[in-house]
Amino acid sequence: MNQPSASTDIRRDLVALLPRLRRFALTLTGGASEADELVREIAGRAIQKSHHWKGEGRLENWLFSMMRSAWADEAKKRRRMDPDLVDVGSAAESRKPSNFVLNLPDGLASAFLLVDVEGFTYAEAAAILGIQPDLFAARLCAARLDLAAAGARTSERRA
């Protein structure tokens, strides 16, 4: 009887994580097509580099960190090519209630998603984003305050 290889296990687990990866990619990119492209890139990279993941810790931490690094690297490349370019994730296209989380300023949407939606601890989420836990806590607080204010504005308009 053959033992399944690590890449087979990663592929199986990767499929289960695709919706979560896409939600996180949306907070980074701000657009569905860019998010889908980022998820495809990270899924391919994870399969190619599956030998680097030793099965210690949570696979999603590794994948989310890989995604954040890839997006940061891509953003640096875009800024070098066109310094006047506005980052897609930072431009709020609309303030519809369904887009409140995606329209949070840079870094805030990801902080909110990782803790309040995905259930990561502050320390895990800070590691995924590559920032200090105290900075992460400040971003999460700012995200929650911004969402609360947006909810209050929406409630006042409906009344």
Side-chain angles (χ1 to χ4, degrees):
M1 186 187 261
N2 291 343
Q3 290 272 16
S5 68
S7 65
T8 303
D9 291 341
I10 283 178
R11 288 178 185 172
R12 180 197 66 226
D13 294 340
L14 184 61
V15 169
L17 291 171
L18 287 175
R20 294 176 66 193
L21 290 169
R22 186 169 191 272
R23 277 193 303 263
F24 184 57
L26 279 168
T27 68
L28 295 172
T29 65
S33 62
E34 296 90 358
D36 291 341
E37 183 60 34
L38 183 58
V39 169
R40 277 191 293 277
E41 177 187 337
I42 294 307
R45 190 179 297 181
I47 291 168
Q48 289 175 344
K49 297 184 178 211
S50 62
H51 61 282
H52 290 294
W53 189 69
K54 305 298 183 202
E56 299 168 358
R58 295 169 55 183
L59 176 62
E60 55 261 43
N61 289 19
W62 182 60
L63 293 169
F64 278 81
S65 294
M66 191 185 311
M67 183 175 285
R68 191 249 333 139
S69 295
W71 180 250
D73 292 345
E74 184 61 33
K76 287 177 190 173
K77 287 178 190 173
R78 282 193 307 273
R79 278 191 294 268
R80 271 190 240 124
M81 285 192 266
D82 187 0
D84 298 329
L85 184 67
V86 174
D87 192 15
V88 175
S90 66
E93 295 171 25
S94 69
R95 294 299 282 180
K96 292 189 288 188
S98 62
N99 293 331
F100 281 150
V101 173
L102 292 179
N103 287 329
L104 288 170
D106 276 348
L108 300 187
S110 297
F112 179 81
L113 176 98
L114 289 172
V115 171
D116 291 337
V117 176
E118 297 298 342
F120 287 102
T121 66
Y122 282 29
E124 289 173 327
I128 288 169
L129 294 176
I131 59 176
Q132 296 296 317
D134 56 340
L135 177 58
F136 176 81
R139 285 186 183 179
L140 181 60
C141 181
R144 289 173 175 167
L145 288 172
D146 197 26
L147 287 171
R153 286 189 304 270
T154 302
S155 298
E156 290 170 5
R157 276 190 258 138
R158 290 183 185 166

